[in-house]
Amino acid sequence: MTDVRAIETDRLLLHPLTAAEAQRIVDAAPAPGDRWAEEYPGPGDIRGAGNFLRGVAERGDPGVYRAYEIRLRADGVTIGGIGFHGPPDADGVVTVGYGLVPTARGRGFAAESLRALIARAREAGATAVRGDADLDNLPSHRVMEAAGMTYEGADEKIRNYRLVFGQ
């Protein structure tokens, strides 16, 4: 793994996943010492970890543009995941995704972690960040808006959000 540092916020630690950790998430098989909240990993975490592993196999280590576990700083318990869907595209735009276990929702953790991930993308040279959520996923819409992303439009299934750096 490239030397990628964790991202710290007031209440959270975004832990950069290794391939071995991602495989444990895909297998839903914690190792001794893993501190997973009940209901972790969820389907989105498993899908995200699997996509991360495919990306590593196809393109090598992604550096900062990887998957991260969202951990509580107070006790180290993993409450969800966040990360990039891959490296920036030809225009420097990265796509993000995130999710929390149900018991951690509604406490501002998703927006806090998304703001930190956006800052890391900007620091790493991305030109913009985009994300999307199902039309009826109002909490996720609010998370992206709270993190500074703006609504760009929708199709019959999803709403799209973007934050362009330097504007």
Side-chain angles (χ1 to χ4, degrees):
M1 175 174 95
T2 302
D3 184 24
V4 178
R5 69 188 191 283
I7 303 170
E8 294 186 39
T9 72
D10 288 343
R11 302 179 297 163
L12 304 170
L13 177 74
L14 306 185
H15 170 76
L17 287 179
T18 64
E21 290 166 331
Q23 188 62 58
R24 291 199 304 267
I25 293 167
V26 168
D27 296 340
D34 284 340
R35 303 199 59 201
W36 291 357
E38 193 172 324
E39 300 181 343
Y40 181 83
D45 301 302
I46 293 168
R47 190 171 43 258
N51 290 339
F52 169 69
L53 289 171
R54 277 188 291 288
V56 168
E58 293 169 6
R59 298 181 296 272
D61 188 282
V64 299
Y65 299 109
R66 67 189 325 103
Y68 296 79
E69 279 184 334
I70 302 171
R71 296 178 179 175
L72 296 173
R73 284 185 66 182
D75 59 12
V77 172
T78 300
I79 59 169
I82 191 166
F84 300 99
H85 291 192
D89 66 16
D91 296 322
V93 180
V94 291
T95 302
V96 295
Y98 51 86
L100 295 173
V101 296
T103 56
R105 294 177 187 158
R107 296 166 43 192
F109 294 136
E112 185 175 332
S113 59
L114 183 56
R115 281 190 296 272
L117 193 72
I118 288 170
R120 177 61 54 92
R122 178 181 226 156
E123 177 184 284
T127 61
V129 174
R130 68 177 163 225
D132 61 54
D134 292 340
L135 291 176
D136 62 351
N137 190 346
L138 299 179
S140 191
H141 303 169
R142 288 192 295 272
V143 165
M144 287 185 274
E145 291 164 358
M149 298 174 80
T150 56
Y151 171 69
E152 278 200 314
D155 62 21
E156 63 280 352
K157 293 183 181 182
I158 60 171
R159 286 177 61 107
N160 297 293
Y161 289 82
R162 181 181 298 256
L163 174 61
V164 178
F165 301 134
Q167 291 186 343

